[in-house]
Amino acid sequence: NILMARSYIPSTMGLSYTLRSNAGEASGYGTDLSLEYQKIWNTDFWTSARANFTYAVGKYDVYDEPYYSEKWRLSSGKPISQQWGYIAERLFVDDAEAANAPRQEITSAAYGGGDIKYADVNGDGRITDADAVPIGLPTTPEIIYGFGFSTGYKGFDLSMFFQGLTNESFWIDANHTSPFVDETALLQAYADNYWSEANGNIYATWPRLSLTRNANNNVRNTWFMRDGTFLRLKSAELGYTLPERLTQKIRIKNLRIYLNGTNLFLWSKFKLWDVEMGGNGLGYPIQRVLNIGLNLTL
């Protein structure tokens, strides 16, 4: 009973509004796990550990859509956040190759050397909507996890917590990061690796530079698809509590000195910017924070 737009209503009926009905069906399943361990070894040494793990997937079982001869265009049976796009083979070597390749009719934009060359999936000699296939993993991560520990020995204590995710894809936002357009800055990652007639790198990170957004390159495709998997040291803290025999001498109840930080380290295949920023490398970056301080109880 999922409400969705009907796709079989012909325009000849003269209806001015999109018809909707409760025609869709979806299903999902997963697991959520949390573990915790604590141990006091002796009066001077203690440890604790914790971990959490979530796995969740969902898919369309019934999706009101037209009949496609290209089965890859169907949403039924696909993950709910599945993306469709074009398979990017490489960049065109020059204008001559672009002119002799299957016509790219995805948009009305002109294209040539240094632009993305797409695969003709159905082999009809044209690149159209029919050549868009399911690409990447869902945009919603299917696996999210975290783990950490705390330990103490006499007056010292140390705690760390890691978090991460996997089974997720994201796309570099080519529209918002296109250099020179609407006073957009040129990202260093693009400046270091873009196609030009001088170097002719057909696998450059960024296609040819232009003063306008290139709609042909900016459609959803595998060229700008990236793996969203990462593991981050989210937080860590090291502290020292003065022994009671010392605090009594200076007539205080408790004194603890600590050093902590958040977003300290990141492990990811994606190196252009912080992977948690997603596709927009010009957004406000995730901050690394370091603190030093003390807790004093009189």
Side-chain angles (χ1 to χ4, degrees):
N1 293 325
I2 297 175
L3 183 65
M4 62 193 320
R6 298 306 302 267
S7 60
Y8 298 108
I9 308 300
S11 59
T12 52
M13 290 189 65
L15 300 174
S16 58
Y17 295 99
T18 301
L19 265 69
R20 300 177 182 274
S21 68
N22 298 91
E25 296 180 17
S27 61
Y29 62 91
T31 184
D32 195 11
L33 180 67
S34 179
L35 301 173
E36 187 167 352
Y37 172 82
Q38 295 182 354
K39 176 72 172 180
I40 299 176
W41 302 91
N42 53 51
T43 56
D44 293 329
F45 182 44
W46 59 270
T47 57
S48 66
R50 68 209 64 86
N52 58 76
F53 177 86
T54 299
Y55 173 69
V57 295
K59 66 181 179 68
Y60 290 114
D61 295 317
V62 176
Y63 195 92
D64 192 344
E65 57 191 333
Y67 173 79
Y68 295 115
S69 57
E70 303 90 1
K71 299 301 183 183
W72 57 80
R73 302 179 69 180
L74 297 174
S75 296
S76 297
K78 302 292 194 309
I80 292 175
S81 60
Q82 177 66 60
Q83 301 295 300
W84 275 257
Y86 300 91
I87 299 174
E89 295 181 343
R90 53 177 174 80
L91 304 179
F92 285 115
V93 175
D94 51 30
D95 292 345
E97 183 192 19
N100 290 296
R103 297 192 312 275
Q104 301 193 161
E105 302 175 1
I106 307 167
T107 70
S108 59
Y111 61 91
D115 290 322
I116 299 174
K117 179 183 180 181
Y118 298 112
D120 182 11
V121 177
N122 63 1
D124 63 355
R126 301 181 302 148
I127 309 299
T128 64
D129 292 345
D131 295 297
V133 301
I135 56 175
L137 294 164
T139 53
T140 301
E142 294 179 334
I143 296 176
I144 301 174
Y145 62 93
F147 58 91
F149 70 90
S150 298
T151 186
Y153 179 72
K154 293 186 176 181
F156 291 95
D157 62 89
L158 173 67
S159 62
M160 291 185 177
F161 188 77
F162 298 82
Q163 70 174 36
L165 61 83
T166 188
N167 285 28
E168 180 208 47
S169 292
F170 72 96
W171 277 260
I172 292 175
D173 192 333
N175 280 306
H176 283 90
T177 61
S178 294
F180 313 128
V181 180
D182 298 332
E183 299 182 354
T184 302
L186 174 61
L187 286 164
Q188 188 66 49
Y190 297 168
D192 292 340
N193 192 10
Y194 66 92
W195 183 94
S196 69
E197 292 183 351
N199 62 40
N201 182 5
I202 59 174
Y203 298 103
T205 299
W206 188 258
R208 66 179 175 89
L209 298 175
S210 63
L211 295 177
T212 58
R213 290 187 177 91
N214 190 320
N216 183 79
N217 295 336
N218 294 358
V219 296
R220 183 59 55 93
N221 58 60
T222 58
W223 193 263
F224 294 118
M225 183 176 72
R226 298 293 186 271
D227 184 354
T229 300
F230 73 86
L231 173 64
R232 185 188 297 276
L233 176 55
K234 188 63 179 179
S235 63
E237 180 166 310
L238 175 64
Y240 177 70
T241 302
L242 264 67
E244 185 176 352
R245 57 183 176 79
L246 295 179
T247 56
Q248 288 179 346
K249 290 182 179 180
I250 55 179
R251 298 186 178 182
I252 60 174
K253 293 182 179 179
N254 183 69
L255 177 62
R256 179 175 179 268
I257 304 171
Y258 65 87
L259 172 66
N260 64 32
T262 57
N263 302 320
L264 296 173
F265 296 102
L266 175 68
W267 295 269
S268 170
K269 294 179 181 179
F270 184 72
K271 303 299 182 183
L272 300 187
W273 49 77
D274 193 307
V275 66
E276 279 199 274
M277 294 173 63
N280 188 5
L282 294 171
Y284 196 77
I286 295 174
Q287 301 295 291
R288 176 182 295 138
V289 180
L290 297 173
N291 300 298
I292 186 170
L294 60 85
N295 294 326
L296 175 64
T297 303
L298 298 176

